Amino acid sequence: MEINPNQILEDGRVLLRPLEKSDVDHLLYFSINEPDTWFYSLVRANGKENLENYIDIALKAKENKTEFPFIVFDKKTNHYAGSTRFYDINFAFKTLQLGYTWYGKNFQGTSLNKHCKYLLLEFAFEILGMERVEFRADANNAKSVAAMKSIGCKVDGILRSNMPTFESDVRRDSIVLSILKSEWIDSVKENLKSKLH
């Protein structure tokens, strides 16, 4: 099994389409004007060169079928809003991770993220047949952790000293959260659906 390389996910609010090299142009505004978007990221996309590198890394991983990056288009404002992706895709174990998600400041705190997550989770569980979707974040990134909990993620635990941080000797603790297929079917899907507006 594999994901169609041209896979598009959309509803009335948002369109997620495969990230392309030329999308540097659509995301450059955030890269130049909102560099702190990647404060907690190991791979930065601030500045044009970093953004090009960020997209190149994502596209190479897509070729290797371990990741599937999307660009996010907000239909409400008619603007590109950010990016997200499936990664660590493991069809044999029926698991994947959902992350590398970021949006421009004007799109944060809107219902855009919930629409994106609904489409991605529905696709992962109901089309790809995944049993578990995992999310990770820097344990200090309270905003990201709160966003994940609000869509129905449960905390699995903390991976201590899990990975390096950007240009620092300090290693980060990663918080691991997840949604299981049974939870999606039993309650998470309907709860998340009720928050879409």
Side-chain angles (χ1 to χ4, degrees), residues 121 125 131-135 148 151-154 156 177-185 188 192:
L121 289 165
F125 288 123
E131 289 291 334
R132 168 188 166 89
V133 174
E134 184 175 302
F135 301 74
M148 290 187 276
I151 64 165
C153 293
K154 291 190 177 168
D156 291 331
L177 305 93
S178 64
I179 299 172
L180 306 183
K181 188 175 192 175
S182 57
E183 294 165 345
W184 172 252
I185 292 163
V188 173
L192 187 51

Side-chain angles (χ1 to χ4, degrees), residues 34 37 72 81-82 101-105 107-108 112-113 116-117:
E34 301 175 10
T37 299
V72 178
T101 302
W102 59 267
Y103 307 108
K105 284 189 171 62
F107 304 95
Q108 296 172 18
L112 181 79
N113 182 53
C116 287
K117 292 298 191 292

Side-chain angles (χ1 to χ4, degrees), residues 31 43-55 166:
S31 182
V43 182
R44 301 279 165 113
N46 53 320
K48 188 175 184 185
E49 195 175 315
N50 284 344
L51 178 61
E52 288 172 341
N53 181 54
Y54 184 92
I55 291 174
F166 186 75

Side-chain angles (χ1 to χ4, degrees), residues 98-146:
L98 207 174
Y100 291 90
T101 302
W102 59 267
Y103 307 108
K105 284 189 171 62
N106 289 344
F107 304 95
Q108 296 172 18
T110 69
S111 64
L112 181 79
N113 182 53
K114 286 185 172 63
H115 279 269
C116 287
K117 292 298 191 292
Y118 184 89
L119 289 168
L120 291 161
L121 289 165
E122 183 179 53
F123 184 73
F125 288 123
E126 299 178 27
I127 306 299
L128 299 181
M130 293 295 163
E131 289 291 334
R132 168 188 166 89
V133 174
E134 184 175 302
F135 301 74
R136 293 188 184 191
D138 187 314
N140 293 318
N141 190 347
K143 195 173 180 181
S144 183
V145 174

